[in-house]
Amino acid sequence: MAQNWDDLRVFLAVARGQSLSAAGKRLRIDPATVGRRVARLEQRMGTPLFAKSPLGYELSASGARLLPLAEHAEQAMGAAGELLGTSNTHGNELNGSIRIGAPDGCANFLLPQVCARIVQDHPDLDVQIVALPRVVNLSKREADMAITVSAPTAGRLTVQKLSDYKLHLAAVPQYLQRASALQSKEDLRHHRMIGYVPDMIFDKELDYLGALGVERVPLASNSVSVQFNAIRQGAGLGIVHDFALPSAPELKRVLTDEISLTRSFYLVRHSSDRRLQRLNRFAQALVAGVRSEITRLEAQP
């Protein structure tokens, strides 16, 4: 039974990583061993589970049918591990490894302190924060859960609203002193704007400058942190999360009466993971921590 599950675990890693090397990194075994394990499973089942293509290892028709069954087995093994491990834990202490994906603004300015408090309360817990300028692919198990700026409407996912947050236009005084007058939104066309690379905006909720009618972005990046630091260097004006402003007191909000944006964070998880109490407890602590941190940071002058 254990050997059968071990082979299914390898199958899932290849299906999600679409290569032997990616699966090997995730499982911490060499790619050649991954290939042999897949071949053994295919021989046992009497059918090929993958087809090699220019994109990597793609599921065959048989592999696609096996995938949901393997995922159910994964969830069952996780639940069994939690049940059998209860005698080795103390109270509600969390352990093991949990990976959370998030857009880099949230990952840089909120999650470090929130997760630091969680791991301080749970010394045997390892938290991995994956900061990506794109949507985290939960179906490929890039993370155990993800924070997003839009609520997904497709897939076998559960979605929980985390919190609203605010954003404003900001710059350093040195830039404002040497730049053109800034008295209304119409004056933005005379200023150097900092924002996202237009064709790399991965969610419509992030098109802040487009919503303001800004057509040209002279200094752009797909990273919120790069934009933030460019604004700090006096390179121009940009939209900044209010929760990031306390980390850069030199930044000043401008045109606050005209320009004030509100967005939301959502916590997204696999639907089947609702049965895993370990992930449920972590999600509960994460939600409470993020809400509290946004409230604390946005209240600072």
Side-chain angles (χ1 to χ4, degrees), residues 28 95-99 124-128 144 278-279:
R28 297 182 181 179
N95 54 29
S97 175
I98 295 176
R99 179 179 294 181
D124 294 325
L125 176 67
D126 298 334
V127 177
Q128 301 172 352
D144 296 297
R278 173 173 156 275
L279 292 182

Side-chain angles (χ1 to χ4, degrees), residues 209-237:
L209 297 183
L212 299 177
V214 174
E215 297 180 355
R216 180 170 173 254
V217 186
L219 186 51
S221 173
N222 66 333
S223 166
V224 167
S225 298
V226 173
Q227 297 171 34
F228 185 75
N229 284 311
I231 298 168
R232 293 183 69 183
Q233 294 301 314
L237 288 166

Side-chain angles (χ1 to χ4, degrees), residues 96-215:
S97 175
I98 295 176
R99 179 179 294 181
I100 176 169
D104 70 328
C106 176
N108 277 282
F109 298 110
L110 291 175
L111 291 187
Q113 58 269 38
V114 171
C115 292
R117 288 193 286 268
I118 293 175
V119 297
Q120 184 175 2
D121 292 337
H122 304 279
D124 294 325
L125 176 67
D126 298 334
V127 177
Q128 301 172 352
I129 302 171
V130 180
L132 293 175
R134 62 171 174 82
V135 177
V136 174
N137 193 328
L138 289 180
S139 65
K140 292 185 177 180
R141 291 284 173 171
E142 289 184 337
D144 296 297
M145 57 187 70
I147 293 176
T148 67
V149 292
S150 287
T153 57
R156 294 176 296 172
L157 303 169
T158 58
V159 181
Q160 177 183 5
K161 184 174 179 179
L162 264 175
S163 176
D164 290 335
Y165 60 94
K166 296 186 180 301
L167 308 99
H168 286 88
L169 197 64
V172 293
Q174 296 91 322
Y175 169 80
L176 295 172
Q177 290 167 6
R178 67 174 184 266
S180 302
L182 183 61
Q183 297 178 339
S184 70
K185 188 165 61 175
E186 285 68 33
D187 294 330
L188 293 179
R189 65 181 184 275
H190 302 302
H191 284 262
R192 187 184 302 115
M193 302 304 297
I194 298 169
Y196 280 102
V197 179
D199 63 353
M200 298 184 73
I201 296 175
F202 62 91
D203 191 297
K204 61 180 176 59
E205 296 294 334
L206 302 178
D207 190 11
Y208 312 129
L209 297 183
L212 299 177
V214 174
E215 297 180 355

Side-chain angles (χ1 to χ4, degrees), residues 65-97:
R65 289 193 295 271
L66 178 62
L67 182 62
L69 299 176
E71 288 178 334
H72 285 313
E74 180 182 51
Q75 296 303 320
M77 291 298 290
E82 285 191 355
L83 179 64
L84 295 175
T86 53
S87 60
N88 298 320
T89 60
H90 303 281
N92 289 322
E93 186 172 320
L94 297 172
N95 54 29
S97 175

